[in-house]
Amino acid sequence: MVTLSINGQPHTIDAANDTPLLWALRDFVGLTGTKFGCGIAQCGACTVHVDGKAVRSCQLTIGNVGNKAITTIEAIGETPIGAKIQKAWAEIDVVQCGYCQSGQVMSAVALLNRTPNPDDSDIDAAMAGNICRCGTYVRIRQAIKNAAKSA
Amino acid sequence: MTIQKKSGNATALSRRNLLKVGAAAGGGLLLSFHTPSALAQAPAATPYVLNPNAFIAIAPDGKVTFQIPQQEMGQGVYTSLSQLLADELDVSFDMVTPLPAPPVDALYGSPRSHRMGTGGSQSIRSFYYPLRQVGASGRAMLVQAAANQWKVNPATLRTEAGQVIDDAHGGRKLSYGELAPRAAKLPAPQNPKIKDDKDLKLIGRSVHRLDAVQKGNGTAQYGIDVRLPGMKFAALSASPVVGGKIGHIDSAKLAANLQLVQLDDIVAVIGPDYWSAQKGLRSLNITWDGGENSKLDSAQIWKELRATSEQKGVEAVSFGDAARGLADGARLDAAYEMPFLSHAPMEPQNFTVHVTARVCEMWGGSQSQTGAVAAAAKALGITPDKITFHNYMMGGGFGRRLDSDMVVKSARIAQKVDGPVQVIWSREEDTTQDMYRPAYRNVMSASLSPKGRINGWSHRIAGGSISVRMSGKPLTGGLDRGNVDGALDNVYGVDNYRVEYIQAEPRALNLGYWRGVAPNNNVFAIESLMDELARKAGQDPVAFRLAHLDKTPRLKAALSQVAQKANWGKKMPPRWGQGVCAQFAFGTYITTIAEVEVGTDGEVRVHKFTSVVDAGRTVNPDTIVAQLQGGLIFGTTAALFGNITVKDGRVQQTNFNNYRIMRINEAPATDITVVKSIEAPGGIGEPGCSAGPPSIVNAIAAATGVRLRSLPIDRQLLAAKRSV
């Protein structure tokens, strides 16, 4: 039994301490926007924010979260940078199948949080952990730049 | 706008409930008429009937719901098919909600195949005119309803943005929502006039995707997101060897709250959440009895494929006399090889199934809706009408979800479980239990006249048959038409041209359709040989192709244009090269030029693709660009990294750490031009995949002088070679 702060709300989760945050979010809290892709931190589909930093939730057990603040795709739009990124995503129709895009958005928001005007190498470094099988990379790069430029 | 109702509300997805929703909403229009689709290009012997009742519902507030027969898996078909309907119906696009059509072939089957299924880049090609007719019929009925109410001639009325307008009487208006109940009772126009090109408002325009917002904020629902009261989760392990069975299971360490399900070839653990089920599965000690196939490995499979490819095949097409043509001039012989590949969609295979006494309800994403129902019915020993299937958007299809093996396995497991169960493949299970893209060997010969004209061409394609694996029936006359697609068209107009196929089954792997399908192999072989011939003739690869393209003017025009766009022949740094590919596949012409850098360590960096695509009439040009951007990257991933190998009958690749997918830092820039055209619409989901790899190996040859005749690229062959 662990109590976590998720999107500003406390959630008490009746799961073993070794349960990855990904499965706690999906199967206990019912937040299915965070996706399962690989289970070994290779694809980034499960990316969430822990105290504002992008983290692969398939590798973080709920017993190790402590009282850190978890933010998921369901709430990231309530932050100014989250809203900016989501708007930029929609404006140039980044998504295709969309399954990886929760993770892409979370990684992109974390990038802009610490680097407001990223160059191509910043984008490469921050986003290389997020696989998109549909190959939307050209538009992801453009959307991040558009978001950075927007007010 | 919601694209897909949450699972708990999945009732909104079935046809039965669509009708119920319509009635509950106070008599919204549910068009009920049949339209002969004269423009559908359906065979004359089997007149195809589209039933618009199945496609359009208009609520009193004017909101429009479209039941989309084709499945959304990223290719944008919810949006493009909605454009066809909305433009002809004349409603604002922001009033439109697309929903996945329920599995009913009679209502939603393709005008070409009469079956539901999303594959082969067929959606726009099959539905472009039929869905426009459906929309036009609906519009005509709404206009007639207004004319009846006002007692005027319908020809004096016009429509705009969901309203019928009577200009002759001060511009009075009736909304579609108001008219819908009466319109629904009117007879349907049997051959409605569709709009002239000049009147189109949505078709041919790059409108935004209808699913863009939901997919960016986590609210889009995929099969894996289904949540039902009392639902359990299953983790599974199937025999790692095709045809194998469970040998022994030691379940001493299995936690007491978990259920073990043991089938012939599948072990599953059922738990209250997926992590518990996974942990339970890992606590088991399972030994498998692999049988005969466990003796197979990649070396043996390739040895057999190469030997078979040297035998005479079955003729697929022949022009002139290939043997005579080959005897005349300078001959070039080459063999090109393509590896087995996995689909690796980002959403792992999963299905949620609830089996009760004699009925079954299931939730998941399938490219073959009625195929999924039929497969589950067969596995459960019930008739298809006992199955209710709620179809969901897919986190990638790429051909993987044309198969129903995941449905069958999930149904078999669900049969042993009390209540609904969501069966989820681990990434490792998804990768090792795939239906793989076949490996191919192409045995090719061509001859050149002294002036550099191709005199003769022979192409033998050897590989396993997907249709045999799926149907369980042998080939008729030994020819698999699916495997020769992309090789038959003879776009270069060779006078003496012959294509053969010979079946070579790998046995240790199940084969399946993979995005781009046979043209991935055939375009690679043809465009590699064309480049080799150009160099043998001492000609520029673009000029050599152009000289052979008089019979294929659209491809010729696209090639001239791409050469100009990419500044073909420009000076490149050492170990950089340009390479070209020209293809006609899935009804679409694509020409591509790659700019590639080969490191001294043999690493290949694709810097840029320049492409010109002539897909005929377009519905959403930006979707064409997106599909080509994505298709080029999908194909490049395969060309640079893709290779499924087998040891002891087991697939050796398991996850993204050893089955590599291109990442953003490796992705090329793209410059894509869509040709404006009034020709018949071509496909676009598939053909981008085959357009890249030949241009990459041709660019590598230009950069290094090394000709690669197999994929994925062999870095050892490219390392430490001097540039030319």
Side-chain angles (χ1 to χ4, degrees):
Chain A
M1 193 87 81
V2 176
T3 299
L4 302 179
S5 165
I6 302 168
N7 299 332
Q9 299 290 323
H11 286 268
T12 300
I13 297 164
D14 185 13
N17 273 4
D18 69 350
T19 304
L21 177 59
L22 167 67
W23 298 111
L25 290 171
R26 291 184 56 82
D27 296 353
F28 290 84
V29 186
L31 293 172
T32 56
T34 304
K35 299 302 190 210
F36 166 51
C38 70
I40 59 167
Q42 284 286 311
C43 78
C46 68
T47 305
V48 299
H49 289 189
V50 178
D51 279 352
K53 291 192 184 118
V55 169
R56 310 299 181 222
S57 65
C58 73
Q59 295 301 301
L60 175 65
T61 63
I62 57 173
N64 282 328
V65 176
N67 52 14
K68 295 193 181 98
I70 297 157
T71 309
T72 70
I73 186 69
E74 283 86 355
I76 200 68
E78 293 161 21
T79 69
I81 290 177
K84 214 158 76 164
I85 282 284
Q86 285 176 335
K87 184 160 171 275
W89 243 245
E91 272 172 0
I92 61 165
D93 290 302
V94 167
V95 306
Q96 289 188 27
C97 91
Y99 191 81
C100 74
Q101 297 292 349
S102 294
Q104 303 280 1
V105 165
M106 296 305 284
S107 289
V109 174
L111 166 63
L112 288 199
N113 275 341
R114 60 174 191 276
T115 311
N117 286 297
D119 61 17
D120 280 327
S121 63
D122 294 328
I123 293 172
D124 283 347
M127 303 301 295
N130 289 80
I131 292 174
C132 173
R133 187 64 168 133
C134 300
T136 64
Y137 299 128
V138 172
R139 292 181 190 222
I140 287 172
R141 185 181 299 281
Q142 188 60 50
I144 291 171
K145 289 179 180 178
N146 292 353
K149 271 184 247 154
S150 69
Chain B
M1 185 190 308
T2 55
I3 289 291
Q4 186 110 50
K5 301 274 195 248
K6 219 182 154 175
S7 56
N9 197 6
T11 49
L13 303 179
S14 79
R15 173 165 160 68
R16 182 188 66 231
N17 286 299
L18 170 72
L19 294 165
K20 201 159 72 188
V21 167
L29 174 61
L30 288 160
L31 296 168
S32 58
F33 54 87
H34 295 262
T35 307
S37 86
L39 298 168
Q41 298 167 338
T46 51
Y48 180 72
V49 178
L50 278 175
N51 179 0
N53 175 39
F55 293 94
I56 302 169
I58 302 173
D61 63 0
K63 288 199 173 114
V64 181
T65 307
F66 293 143
Q67 297 280 312
I68 303 296
Q70 302 297 94
Q71 268 300 99
E72 181 59 63
M73 47 192 169
Q75 82 280 40
V77 78
Y78 276 8
T79 305
S80 55
L81 295 189
S82 291
Q83 283 175 263
L84 297 175
L85 286 161
D87 203 332
E88 294 290 350
L89 191 62
D90 223 351
V91 292
S92 300
F93 211 49
D94 57 8
M95 296 297 274
V96 167
T97 300
L99 288 174
V104 185
D105 282 337
L107 294 174
Y108 302 109
S110 155
R112 291 190 183 195
S113 66
H114 303 262
R115 291 187 56 188
M116 294 179 85
T118 309
S121 287
Q122 280 288 352
S123 296
I124 297 298
R125 288 192 284 169
S126 297
F127 284 96
Y128 181 85
Y129 289 114
L131 283 189
R132 288 183 62 180
Q133 280 195 311
V134 169
S137 295
R139 180 183 164 279
M141 290 169 74
L142 290 154
V143 168
Q144 185 63 53
N148 292 352
Q149 188 165 335
W150 286 326
K151 299 190 169 41
V152 297
N153 180 346
T156 65
L157 304 176
R158 67 183 174 91
T159 58
E160 190 182 320
Q163 293 184 312
V164 181
I165 302 165
D166 185 0
D167 289 321
H169 293 87
R172 58 182 168 174
K173 294 171 181 174
L174 282 166
S175 74
Y176 283 7
E178 293 172 85
L179 291 166
R182 263 162 294 189
K185 293 177 188 137
L186 295 173
Q190 290 301 299
N191 196 13
K193 184 183 181 310
I194 60 170
K195 285 182 176 177
D196 292 335
D197 286 355
K198 65 176 169 49
D199 297 324
L200 295 174
K201 293 175 187 157
L202 294 167
I203 297 167
R205 303 263 166 97
S206 293
V207 300
H208 286 295
R209 292 180 67 112
L210 291 169
D211 55 2
V213 172
Q214 294 88 334
K215 286 177 173 178
N217 68 17
T219 58
Q221 297 270 305
Y222 303 85
I224 203 168
D225 300 327
V226 168
R227 293 293 178 269
L228 302 167
M231 186 179 90
K232 295 167 186 159
F233 291 85
L236 82 162
S237 179
S239 169
V241 181
V242 170
K245 306 265 180 243
I246 298 169
H248 177 75
I249 300 177
D250 174 1
S251 60
K253 291 180 184 159
L254 188 68
N257 66 330
L258 304 175
Q259 179 192 352
L260 176 65
V261 171
Q262 205 173 324
L263 304 164
D264 280 355
D265 55 340
I266 300 170
V267 181
V269 171
I270 320 300
D273 60 282
Y274 187 63
W275 175 250
S276 298
Q278 264 298 343
K279 263 206 306 189
L281 187 65
R282 281 202 295 269
S283 77
L284 303 175
N285 192 349
I286 311 167
T287 53
W288 296 97
D289 175 6
E292 272 302 295
N293 285 340
S294 57
K295 294 172 190 159
L296 288 166
D297 58 21
S298 286
Q300 178 65 22
I301 292 167
W302 274 100
K303 189 178 160 194
E304 292 177 16
L305 176 56
R306 286 176 185 132
T308 305
S309 73
E310 296 297 338
Q311 297 166 20
K312 191 168 164 50
V314 177
E315 182 178 291
V317 76
S318 180
F319 303 96
D321 185 339
R324 207 186 61 197
L326 286 171
D328 179 13
R331 179 166 165 148
L332 197 160
D333 299 301
Y336 302 96
E337 296 182 344
M338 300 288 270
F340 296 103
L341 296 172
S342 179
H343 296 82
M346 292 309 296
E347 181 190 7
Q349 302 312 310
N350 65 88
F351 245 76
T352 305
V353 185
H354 187 191
V355 180
T356 51
R358 312 183 81 80
V359 296
C360 167
E361 193 164 5
M362 57 190 202
W363 298 257
S366 173
Q367 290 176 249
S368 172
Q369 298 96 314
T370 44
V373 170
K378 192 175 168 198
L380 296 171
I382 58 179
T383 50
D385 61 302
K386 298 288 191 293
I387 293 181
T388 307
F389 174 33
H390 310 284
N391 203 4
Y392 279 70
M393 283 195 295
M394 286 169 273
F398 315 125
R400 178 66 184 91
R401 291 176 160 101
L402 277 169
D403 261 292
S404 297
D405 57 295
M406 73 296 284
V407 183
V408 168
K409 282 178 179 165
S410 300
R412 288 171 63 203
I413 292 166
Q415 237 180 339
K416 308 285 183 192
V417 178
D418 187 20
V421 60
Q422 183 166 98
V423 185
I424 305 176
W425 276 234
S426 64
R427 175 57 57 186
E428 290 77 12
E429 196 70 8
D430 190 279
T431 307
T432 56
Q433 299 287 333
D434 202 349
M435 301 286 171
Y436 301 91
R437 197 285 300 274
Y440 293 100
R441 187 162 194 265
N442 302 271
V443 178
M444 303 188 78
S445 303
S447 64
L448 285 168
S449 76
K451 286 183 178 168
R453 181 91 206 158
I454 304 170
N455 277 339
W457 180 285
S458 145
H459 182 179
R460 185 187 309 122
I461 301 153
S465 169
I466 301 160
S467 68
V468 165
R469 200 271 304 157
M470 285 182 100
S471 70
K473 293 175 195 154
L475 294 169
T476 309
L479 177 61
D480 182 350
R481 296 225 153 257
N483 270 336
V484 295
D485 187 25
L488 305 180
D489 301 293
N490 190 13
V491 292
Y492 293 112
V494 178
D495 289 337
N496 303 296
Y497 186 94
R498 179 181 161 89
V499 177
E500 291 179 8
Y501 169 72
I502 186 156
Q503 190 182 357
E505 295 298 340
R507 289 170 290 149
L509 294 169
N510 286 318
L511 305 180
Y513 294 109
W514 193 92
R515 186 179 183 190
V517 208
N520 281 323
N521 172 60
N522 295 325
V523 171
F524 182 80
I526 293 166
E527 287 301 295
S528 295
L529 182 59
M530 284 300 288
D531 235 57
E532 294 203 46
L533 288 168
R535 282 166 210 286
K536 189 177 174 74
Q539 292 188 24
D540 171 81
V542 168
F544 180 74
R545 285 173 173 80
L546 288 172
H548 284 88
L549 278 173
D550 285 342
K551 287 179 180 167
T552 315
R554 289 169 71 188
L555 193 58
K556 188 174 184 178
L559 182 55
S560 296
Q561 199 180 346
V562 80
Q564 203 173 14
K565 287 247 167 205
N567 196 7
W568 174 256
K570 72 181 173 184
K571 183 127 179 68
M572 305 284 278
R575 293 184 73 85
W576 284 56
Q578 286 179 308
V580 66
C581 171
Q583 71 169 41
F584 173 62
F586 303 99
T588 293
Y589 301 85
I590 302 177
T591 52
T592 303
I593 289 173
E595 277 183 37
V596 167
E597 176 188 8
V598 184
T600 49
D601 57 355
E603 272 304 325
V604 171
R605 176 71 202 244
V606 183
H607 286 280
K608 187 176 180 183
F609 283 119
T610 307
S611 288
V612 172
V613 51
D614 176 355
R617 281 173 183 274
T618 61
V619 177
N620 190 324
D622 187 57
T623 299
I624 300 215
V625 172
Q627 284 305 293
L628 195 44
Q629 286 172 330
L632 287 165
I633 286 176
F634 202 89
T636 303
T637 287
L640 299 186
F641 314 124
N643 191 14
I644 288 290
T645 57
V646 176
K647 188 166 187 289
D648 301 328
R650 299 170 183 227
V651 169
Q652 293 180 284
Q653 291 69 34
T654 54
N655 203 319
F656 296 129
N657 58 328
N658 53 22
Y659 191 73
R660 197 170 155 189
I661 308 292
M662 175 166 271
R663 294 170 182 275
I664 195 169
N665 56 312
E666 302 158 329
T670 56
D671 175 4
I672 291 163
T673 303
V674 181
V675 173
K676 282 195 166 61
S677 167
I678 55 162
E679 300 281 350
I684 199 58
E686 314 260 15
C689 295
S690 49
S695 67
I696 294 170
V697 293
N698 292 339
I700 290 170
T704 65
V706 178
R707 168 59 54 181
L708 298 177
R709 286 178 172 170
S710 64
L711 292 180
I713 59 150
D714 185 337
R715 288 160 180 80
Q716 287 186 340
L717 287 175
L718 299 177
K721 297 278 179 184
R722 304 186 73 83
S723 62
V724 290

